Amino acid sequence: MITVHHLNNSRSQRILWLLEELGLPYEVKKYQRNKETLLAPEELKKVHPLGKSPVITDDSVTVAESGAIVEYLLGKYGNGRLRPKAGTPEDLRYTFWIHYAEGSAMLPPLLTLIFNKIETGPMPFFIKPIAKEISAQVKKVFINPQFKLHYDYIKDELKKSKWFAGEEFTAADIIMSYPVETASLRGEVDPRLKEFLASIHARSAYQRALERGGEYQVVL
């Protein structure tokens, strides 16, 4: 039996969605973030040494990292579903988006989360104004331009086809949902991004995953 070790408000929500799209039976073990640090609880380290989510167990097999979990589940249970035929241009695009979503696309949201914590975290009163100024400058000079670079790229690529890898829905759309959700959270109102989000939110598998995982909000 597949067990998803699911952290609230995290990218593990996409794994629940993938399993619903595949129609596979699974169990959900829920974990809660620390309200102050937003980090995963120490309990997750009993499942995987990094103590992060998503991570799944499938009988005696443990798999961590979103992209690796997607590849594992599709390789073992997919039977050709949710990915393009090997060797096609669509398959190349699919592979790119699977890796891009957890690589380049995640740097701006991660840095935003870190510098937001710097601004709001406890520190001596006389240091706080300096910390806030440094954080504001880093956001202005580096983080915000990186957000624009990546979201301009994402929306331009989405204009080329109905879905990220082509005209058929694939796991690339599942894994890319998180970067697009962060764009929406930052107030990105591009019609193509809004259309993509409306399409995925309307999928019955997406809605079932929300029911299984519980309340979900992108952390930024």
Side-chain angles (χ1 to χ4, degrees):
M1 171 64 73
I2 299 169
T3 299
V4 181
H5 298 269
H6 175 58
L7 183 65
N8 68 305
N9 295 334
S10 78
R11 286 170 276 171
S12 63
Q13 184 65 37
R14 297 175 302 179
I15 304 304
L16 304 182
W17 177 17
L18 173 64
L19 288 164
E20 291 291 344
E21 292 282 357
L22 292 171
L24 297 175
Y26 64 96
E27 297 177 344
V28 181
K29 185 170 183 180
K30 296 181 179 179
Y31 303 79
Q32 294 294 314
R33 292 178 181 273
N34 182 295
K35 292 183 179 180
E36 293 184 1
T37 66
L38 298 181
L39 296 177
E42 288 292 311
E43 187 182 1
L44 261 174
K45 289 185 178 179
K46 298 177 182 179
V47 183
H48 189 276
L50 291 178
K52 296 182 180 297
S53 180
V55 59
I56 67 168
T57 51
D58 185 13
D59 295 328
S60 62
V61 176
T62 300
V63 187
E65 294 292 337
S66 299
I69 294 171
V70 169
E71 292 298 328
Y72 171 81
L73 291 174
L74 292 186
K76 186 171 182 179
Y77 300 106
N79 296 317
R81 293 175 292 170
L82 295 181
R83 72 170 301 163
K85 184 178 179 180
T88 62
E90 290 79 10
D91 186 50
L92 182 59
R93 285 179 61 81
Y94 167 89
T95 301
F96 169 79
W97 292 116
I98 289 289
H99 291 276
Y100 172 83
E102 290 298 285
S104 299
M106 282 309 302
L107 180 60
L110 178 60
L111 289 176
T112 298
L113 183 63
I114 292 171
F115 280 91
N116 283 346
K117 293 300 293 182
I118 290 175
E119 292 179 4
T120 59
M123 66 184 71
F125 74 92
F126 56 89
I127 294 179
K128 186 172 285 289
I130 300 173
K132 286 186 174 181
E133 178 62 24
I134 292 173
S135 176
Q137 284 299 311
V138 172
K139 289 179 179 179
K140 179 181 178 180
V141 174
F142 182 74
I143 299 176
N144 292 339
Q146 283 294 305
F147 263 114
K148 185 178 188 311
L149 171 68
H150 286 285
Y151 290 134
D152 283 350
Y153 175 72
I154 289 171
K155 68 185 180 185
D156 288 345
E157 288 296 307
L158 261 180
K159 292 175 182 177
K160 297 179 180 179
S161 56
K162 182 176 181 180
W163 299 103
F164 273 99
E167 298 307 311
E168 300 294 329
F169 177 84
T170 69
D173 301 294
I174 295 175
I175 203 139
M176 277 298 297
S177 64
Y178 196 90
V180 179
E181 292 277 13
T182 62
S184 176
L185 188 63
R186 285 176 58 88
E188 179 67 55
V189 293
D190 179 78
R192 187 64 186 94
L193 296 184
K194 292 176 66 176
E195 179 186 0
F196 172 80
L197 288 176
S199 296
I200 64 173
H201 292 166
R203 296 183 72 85
S204 58
Y206 182 95
Q207 296 170 12
R208 291 195 302 272
L210 287 179
E211 293 175 2
R212 293 291 301 273
E215 184 179 354
Y216 170 63
Q217 181 179 3
V218 174
V219 177
L220 183 60

